Amino acid sequence: MKKPELLAPAGSPESLRAAVQNGADAVYLGWGDFNARRSAKNFSDEEFAEALAYCHARGARVFLTLNTLLTDRELPRALETAAAAGRLGVDSILVQDWGLFDLIRKSLPDQPIHASTQMSVFTTGGAATLAADGCERVVLARECSAEDTKTICDTCPAEVEIFTHGALCMCYSGQCTMSAVVGSRSGNRGRCAQPCRLPYGFNAPAGKRYPLSLKDNCLADALGEMAEMGVSCLKLEGRMKRPEYVAVVTRIYARLLEEQRRPTPAERTELEQAFSRSGFTGHYWEGRRGKEMFGVRPEFAQDPKELFDAARSAYEKDDLRTVAVDLSCAIEAGQPCRLTVSDGERDVTVEGPIPETARNRALTGPEVEERLRKTGGTAYRVDTAVTLVDEGLSLPASAINDLRRRALAALTEARTAVPHRRELPAPPLPEADHSACAPTFTVSVASAAQISPELLALAPARIYVPLEDLAAMDALPAFDGEWCAVLPRIWRDRDEEELREMLKRVQDRGVTAALLGNIGHLSLTEGLGLHRYGDYGLNVFNSRSAAYLREKGLDSVCLSFELRFAQLRDLKKLLPAEAIVYGRLPLMITENCLVQNETGCQLDRDGRCVPQNAPCRRANALHDRTGAAFPLLPAWGHRTEVQNSRPLWLADRPEWTRLGLAFARLRFTTESAEECVRIFKAYLCGETACGEFTRGLYERGVE
């Protein structure tokens, strides 16, 4: 059984030293403008190069986080950042953006890539797709259980990494737009304002309740289980945390892995003192959900001074983590003195002056060994030292010290040597152009009950309906457009047989297409003969992403609603492109059913509500401190999708008609069947909105 790699956060050079000195096998850090913790201190150019040398000399690997969505203008700089990091010897690069992923794998083919948790991977199909496209490692969604993880480990040819300790996001990573839509600070762009940590009221004004604030994850008891199932890497969260926190948590987890045991009561206390929100949770790993998972950090919580002071004083000495080396020194008459140093994998040899005949006291082997063992202030400690010293010779102490310094420097140079990696020209984009003079309307509904003959008479090009709703219909109404099944944005491997059966059933009734919102949907729909359209969950932010998904077999893509109008216009339409132009924008999709946590629901054996009029099927909303109400919609698997408080309204803004879009989506969520018809007609006529609305991010953009 192989011990998993322990991966620690390095939000600053001091945190990096704290992590390495306390036993991290690898660190992940941000360099440049494109990482998911842009508010962390991160690293300057000089600090990044020094970090690589520091870590590699001590046997730790360095992973660069380039895990944000990127515009067409930003992609060349991001690729250059990746190339520059490769020239300096970075061990791997974490990415979220499909366009950057595609560019790195084609332009930097020798550079290892890790799929960030921002890619929202939680099934074997998604993991296998990324592995086939060159990902060395896949970081799974935090919501995956032990069962989910083992299933993926058993089948995925790539390494599997999981988040083991630290903060949990309420929404699936890569699917949260709440910070962007509400406050223009995009979590997908590394600027999350953490609205999930604020108070909300459930169907009531906000008070002092925090239904979106999860406790921190702590899986210290399950490390042996993870190793047995083949997990390759255990990630500790915390690039925004203090170096002392990094030191404490890394030290404890490193010991647990080394000694193959569970934490002691004292270690549990230290973990909680270092940082927690009303304690810890391991519910997701255990396959559980519920209100016991939620907690907050007291507003004026104090850092544990004694614990942190001790941690800092230990790692600042820089001698907790050293590399064992073996020395072999020969001082022979008439020959230059030689010193060979070995770290077990590589040997280096240096030569010094020819020793002279001793005039008084001759040099001895123990004296030479004593000087060679003085490695303080370096990354090394001497394990064994063998000295061969002829009798009657003399050699200055300065010569022996210089021999040791040069040998260790040569070993460091060998340990930090940069592997040769190819850099190829960026491949050109395809010549295809699917720009349209004006888009045709599509309609998505949250429920089949929103579909009426009057809506169908307005002749949308496509109607997107949840797969489970289509499967429950006896027959589809006559319609000149295309019926399209919306696949669950979140599901698990155990659901796939049922989902494929439903897809086959609705095909027989006239459904000809499926809407894909996750990379795992590609394998789920393979071989069914359906048109496959990309949804907003794929986060298409640039032309390269569209090109990648085109190669994967998609027939159209919905572009990210975090883009501005100008960015949508300039994005090359390598596939027919769609954008949402009306509706409540989806802010979060959560593993927890928020209604279940508040009111309780009766569930069947598959974890679904019974009957259909269960509490989570009714009108529910979260209310923030401003009085805004965010509707809660049920999602497949007894999950929740949080909607924006105000609908997007662009009927009176003709700009969206001149962006080259092939399709413009009217996204109906909480509207009645009659309201759906009225709104569709308003868009046909270009009417102004009635009531509260938002222009979304198309004009103001995001940070």
Side-chain angles (χ1 to χ4, degrees):
M1 182 174 65
K2 184 178 179 182
K3 181 172 76 75
E5 180 178 59
L6 182 62
L7 177 59
S12 68
E14 188 179 358
S15 290
L16 178 138
R17 182 166 52 159
V20 173
Q21 287 298 314
N22 281 279
D25 299 308
V27 297
Y28 61 102
L29 53 81
W31 177 49
D33 298 327
F34 310 117
N35 72 90
R37 289 292 181 269
R38 289 165 65 190
S39 297
K41 184 178 179 182
N42 291 314
F43 289 73
S44 67
D45 292 358
E46 182 179 356
E47 289 169 341
F48 181 58
E50 291 173 351
L52 285 162
Y54 181 89
C55 290
H56 289 164
R58 290 160 177 79
R61 300 204 293 168
V62 179
F63 304 150
L64 175 63
T65 57
L66 287 179
N67 54 342
T68 61
L69 299 182
L70 302 160
T71 65
D72 278 326
R73 289 187 179 183
E74 292 168 336
L75 272 178
R77 277 196 299 135
L79 180 61
E80 176 52 35
T81 298
R87 294 178 207 124
L88 292 171
V90 77
D91 295 284
S92 191
I93 298 175
L94 284 95
V95 297
Q96 172 191 12
D97 188 275
W98 302 116
L100 181 61
F101 170 56
D102 197 41
L103 272 176
I104 292 176
R105 73 190 187 102
K106 291 176 178 176
S107 299
L108 307 173
D110 303 319
Q111 176 61 62
I113 309 174
H114 293 178
S116 169
T117 190
Q118 293 283 115
M119 281 188 173
S120 309
V121 178
F122 40 74
T123 63
T124 57
T129 296
L130 292 169
D133 281 346
C135 264
E136 176 186 80
R137 177 180 294 175
V138 178
V139 187
L140 300 186
R142 293 169 171 88
E143 293 82 355
C144 286
S145 67
E147 177 189 353
D148 302 327
T149 304
K150 184 179 187 308
T151 300
I152 295 172
C153 286
D154 287 345
T155 58
C156 181
E159 295 177 351
V160 170
E161 175 181 312
I162 63 171
F163 277 82
T164 307
H165 191 96
L168 288 171
C169 295
M170 184 60 188
C171 180
Y172 274 77
S173 292
Q175 301 301 306
C176 186
T177 60
M178 190 168 193
S179 179
V181 172
V182 174
S184 296
R185 291 178 55 182
S186 171
N188 283 317
R189 303 270 289 162
R191 294 291 194 191
C192 181
Q194 296 190 309
C196 54
R197 302 301 179 189
L198 298 175
Y200 296 89
F202 179 80
N203 294 334
K208 294 186 177 181
R209 303 187 64 188
Y210 297 83
L212 300 180
S213 181
L214 288 164
K215 295 177 181 178
D216 276 23
N217 200 31
C218 180
L219 303 182
D221 284 323
L223 304 188
E225 180 185 10
M226 297 170 188
E228 287 181 2
M229 68 176 62
V231 171
S232 297
C233 181
L234 311 180
K235 176 175 283 183
L236 309 176
E237 182 274 337
R239 275 199 289 153
M240 300 292 289
K241 301 242 182 34
R242 293 181 53 160
E244 296 90 341
Y245 166 89
V246 174
V248 171
V249 175
T250 304
R251 168 176 54 81
I252 291 174
Y253 274 85
R255 286 182 180 175
L256 299 183
L257 286 169
E258 186 64 33
E259 298 170 14
Q260 299 183 32
R261 61 175 176 83
R262 295 183 175 185
T264 65
E267 288 169 331
R268 293 180 195 276
T269 299
E270 287 188 356
L271 288 172
E272 193 162 337
Q273 286 178 338
F275 192 93
S276 70
R277 291 181 171 91
S278 310
F280 294 118
T281 182
H283 272 43
Y284 284 153
W285 180 256
E286 296 159 4
R288 296 192 291 154
R289 297 178 276 192
K291 57 186 177 182
E292 302 85 4
M293 296 185 66
F294 293 78
V296 295
R297 180 78 168 168
E299 187 176 356
F300 300 105
Q302 298 293 313
D303 288 324
K305 186 177 187 306
E306 184 176 342
L307 178 64
F308 278 8
D309 285 350
R312 184 171 57 255
S313 64
Y315 73 71
E316 282 183 342
K317 293 177 183 177
D318 216 32
D319 59 2
L320 295 175
R321 169 82 166 267
T322 52
V323 178
V325 295
D326 299 318
L327 304 180
S328 177
C329 182
I331 300 177
E332 301 171 291
Q335 300 291 328
C337 57
R338 298 187 310 280
L339 175 61
T340 298
V341 57
S342 171
D343 63 2
E345 295 183 10
R346 52 189 73 78
D347 300 336
V348 296
T349 300
V350 296
E351 293 186 345
I354 298 173
E356 298 178 354
T357 301
R359 296 181 181 179
N360 297 309
R361 187 173 63 84
L363 189 66
T364 66
E367 181 181 355
V368 172
E369 179 178 343
E370 180 183 2
R371 291 197 173 277
L372 292 178
R373 284 184 175 275
K374 294 181 178 180
T375 58
T378 73
Y380 307 103
R381 68 181 186 280
V382 177
D383 191 359
T384 63
V386 177
T387 58
L388 174 64
V389 181
D390 286 353
E391 294 183 357
L393 298 179
S394 174
L395 193 66
S398 59
I400 298 174
N401 292 339
D402 180 64
L403 203 64
R404 181 195 69 236
R405 284 192 292 267
R406 288 191 293 112
L408 294 180
L411 180 61
T412 297
E413 184 176 355
R415 290 175 65 85
T416 60
V418 177
H420 173 71
R421 289 171 175 153
R422 290 170 293 167
E423 294 185 24
L424 307 178
L429 288 168
E431 294 295 330
D433 183 5
H434 291 273
S435 299
C437 295
T440 55
F441 285 108
T442 63
V443 164
S444 70
V445 296
S447 166
Q450 294 170 300
I451 302 171
S452 65
E454 292 79 10
L455 184 69
L456 298 178
L458 296 174
R462 302 171 181 168
I463 293 186
Y464 303 114
V465 187
L467 173 60
E468 56 269 39
D469 280 42
L470 285 171
M473 297 169 67
D474 295 327
L476 296 178
F479 171 53
D480 290 336
E482 186 173 34
W483 290 101
C484 181
V486 180
L487 298 176
R489 192 151 46 125
I490 307 295
W491 77 103
R492 291 294 188 270
D493 283 292
R494 58 183 171 271
D495 300 319
E496 293 204 354
E497 182 178 352
E498 179 183 4
L499 292 173
R500 281 184 68 91
E501 285 302 315
M502 283 197 288
L503 280 169
K504 293 175 183 177
R505 194 156 67 245
V506 300
Q507 270 187 285
D508 293 339
R509 297 173 188 169
V511 171
T512 57
L515 192 61
L516 284 59
N518 184 275
I519 196 68
H521 284 150
L522 291 170
S523 59
L524 178 62
T525 56
E526 191 68 35
L528 294 179
L530 292 164
H531 296 300
R532 297 190 290 182
Y533 306 137
D535 204 3
Y536 57 81
L538 289 170
N539 289 323
V540 177
F541 218 74
N542 53 63
S543 305
R544 289 278 175 185
S545 292
Y548 173 75
L549 294 171
R550 182 175 183 261
E551 288 181 7
K552 307 309 290 182
L554 293 193
D555 298 304
S556 71
V557 289
C558 183
L559 305 180
S560 170
F561 51 79
E562 293 189 49
L563 291 167
R564 296 193 306 274
F565 278 140
Q567 293 166 330
L568 291 169
R569 179 196 64 218
D570 295 342
L571 193 148
K572 295 184 183 300
K573 309 305 185 297
L574 303 174
L575 287 169
E578 181 177 27
I580 297 172
V581 298
Y582 169 80
R584 295 183 186 272
L585 296 175
L587 304 184
M588 287 186 176
I589 185 161
T590 70
E591 182 67 12
N592 270 269
C593 173
L594 301 180
V595 183
Q596 163 76 8
N597 289 348
E598 294 291 335
T599 66
C601 291
Q602 181 184 352
L603 308 180
D604 64 18
R605 288 184 303 174
D606 296 321
R608 296 175 188 157
C609 292
V610 290
Q612 288 299 302
N613 64 351
C616 63
R617 299 278 172 176
R618 303 170 193 157
N620 296 288
L622 291 182
H623 296 252
D624 70 8
R625 295 172 299 175
T626 70
F630 300 89
L632 306 176
L633 296 185
W636 173 272
H638 203 54
R639 300 176 176 95
T640 298
E641 190 174 87
V642 182
Q643 312 299 314
N644 195 21
S645 59
R646 293 175 292 167
L648 172 71
W649 188 274
L650 297 177
D652 55 337
R653 290 293 179 93
E655 292 94 329
W656 59 270
T657 66
R658 300 191 291 265
L659 304 176
L661 299 171
F663 304 103
R665 187 187 305 183
L666 307 177
R667 185 174 190 268
F668 298 126
T669 51
T670 59
E671 296 84 358
S672 66
E674 294 75 18
E675 288 174 321
C676 294
V677 173
R678 178 183 60 79
I679 292 164
F680 199 151
K681 289 180 177 178
Y683 265 75
L684 291 173
C685 300
E687 294 179 10
T688 56
C690 297
E692 291 189 338
F693 66 93
T694 177
R695 300 296 189 186
L697 298 165
Y698 293 134
E699 295 178 344
R700 56 189 169 99
V702 294
E703 291 184 33

